[in-house]
Structure formats: C-alpha cells, structure tokens
Amino acid sequence: LREVAAHRTTLIFHNTRAQAELFFRDLWLANEDGLPIGIHHGSLARESRQKVEAAMAEGRLRAVVCTGSLDLGIDWGDVDLVIQVGAPRNVKRLVQRIGRANHRYNAPSKALLVPANRFEVVECKAALDAVRDRALDGEPRGPGPRDVLCQHILLTACAGPFDAVELFHEVRSAGPYAGLSRAGFDDALDFVATGGYALRAYDRWQRLKETA
C-alpha cells in the first residue's frame, strides 16, 4: 500500500485467480486511506472487466490486482510500477509483466518481486538473473509463418497493383522473414494467385459454420 500510494498507477500481478481474489480482499481491508483499487481477471463478468479497464484508462484507479488477463493487449501510459506477487514461473512472463510499467519507447520499467516463501526467493533471483542475461525460456523463435505471408500478399493485392520484387524485399526487411528465399516467396505468391489460399480459407469457414 505504501508503494501504491507513492506511484500513479500500479499493477499487482498474481499467478492464479484465487490468489488474486484473496489478495484483493486483504488489500481492501487494509486500505485505510481509501485508495481506489480494483481487480481484473478472466473469471470476472465482462462488464466488470470493462469497468475496471475504463477506470484505468481515465486514471481513476491507483492499483489493479490482476492475473494474466492484463499481460497483453492493453497499454496505459500512467502505469509506473508493477508488483509481481509470487514467483513468475517463467522468464518470458516476468519480462512481459515488468514491461507493462512505463510502456513507452526508451522508458525504463520498474517492478517489485514479492516472493511468498523462501523457495520463491530462489526462483525470483534466478528469473532476474536470466532477464539480465537475456536468457528467455522456451523454444527459440522460428521463421515467419507462411500463412501470415500469404495473408500479407493477398491484402497487398487487394489494395492495388504491386511489384513482386519490391514486395519480396519489403517482406525480407521484417526480422521473421529475413531468411525467406525468393523461391519460398514465389511459392506463397503462386498459392495466393491460383486461388489455393482462398479455397483453404473457404473450407475453414465452412467447417466453422458446421460446428457452430
């Protein structure tokens, strides 16, 4: 609560919804200064989540107790502190959550890690060391997916005539497609041009209709 009072807006992340609910209850009971705080997680009604999001966007909340529901998708410039309660479980999640604070170009992000027991102290320390070493967990990022490439070619064609060579170099300027060969690009171009992509999209649409 002292940290919440010292910052404009704080996100307090938890790993489970049950933990977030219990923490929010105790935080609310200890909130003698009446600081405006809210809670946000995937099991809440959509209207409740939207109400909290709107209050955050308008700067009416000092803190939000949350789960992975706020890991992605919503950016608030006023968030200047992230608190992670419990071990983050994986390094990428920690980086993503810390990045919610001061989510602006070249602005430093600020976070506090609050381990719940002595074992989580070790986990948090290991996670911070991995962040500093840029050693993210999980599989290395693979090359750009071909279906996304086909979508880009199709949308480019819908916008008007284009030069295939220029489009190839444009696509290669994106990191995931830096290693794309001209033959691979031509295969995607031919797939879109001959209607294969449209037919596959139509078949997928038909299957979705049947299962709806």
Side-chain angles (χ1 to χ4, degrees):
L1 283 170
R2 286 195 300 269
E3 293 294 338
V4 170
H7 294 83
R8 294 190 306 273
T9 307
T10 301
L11 294 181
I12 307 174
F13 280 105
H14 293 262
N15 295 327
T16 67
R17 297 166 184 174
Q19 185 184 27
E21 290 278 0
L22 293 171
F23 186 93
F24 176 75
R25 180 200 64 189
D26 292 342
L27 189 68
W28 185 264
L29 293 174
N31 185 18
E32 296 179 354
D33 294 333
L35 297 172
I37 59 176
I39 184 169
H40 190 290
H41 61 69
S43 291
L44 293 173
R46 181 178 180 182
E47 294 77 13
S48 298
R49 297 197 305 271
Q50 290 177 336
K51 183 178 179 181
V52 170
E53 292 165 11
M56 283 283 290
E58 296 167 8
R60 293 187 283 111
L61 290 178
R62 298 295 297 277
V64 176
V65 178
C66 55
T67 60
S69 60
L70 291 187
D71 275 358
L72 296 167
I74 303 173
D75 292 332
W76 291 297
D78 287 339
V79 174
D80 53 350
L81 177 65
V82 164
I83 298 176
Q84 166 67 41
V85 178
R89 303 305 179 203
N90 67 65
V91 182
K92 287 182 180 177
R93 176 185 294 174
L94 178 62
V95 171
Q96 180 63 45
R97 290 181 173 180
I98 292 177
R100 309 307 283 169
N102 293 324
H103 198 177
R104 296 183 297 275
Y105 177 69
N106 269 354
S109 298
K110 180 180 180 182
L112 292 175
L113 273 64
V114 185
N117 55 55
R118 68 183 68 184
F119 302 105
E120 289 190 345
V121 172
V122 178
E123 288 186 59
C124 288
K125 179 65 169 60
L128 287 175
D129 289 344
V131 171
R132 294 189 185 98
D133 294 340
R134 299 181 181 273
L136 300 183
D137 43 19
E139 295 296 324
R141 179 177 296 176
R146 295 300 173 90
D147 61 331
V148 175
L149 174 61
C150 289
Q151 291 175 36
H152 181 65
I153 293 173
L154 180 62
L155 291 174
T156 301
C158 290
F162 65 90
D163 182 273
V165 175
E166 292 180 358
L167 182 60
F168 170 64
H169 290 300
E170 174 193 294
V171 169
R172 292 247 307 180
S173 68
Y177 296 93
L180 177 68
S181 68
R182 181 58 198 266
F185 175 82
D186 287 342
D187 286 343
L189 184 64
D190 182 66
F191 182 65
V192 174
T194 57
Y197 182 78
L199 287 172
R200 182 171 295 180
Y202 179 77
D203 289 341
R204 185 180 301 170
W205 177 69
Q206 289 287 1
R207 288 196 298 271
L208 288 173
K209 283 180 58 180
E210 294 170 0
T211 57

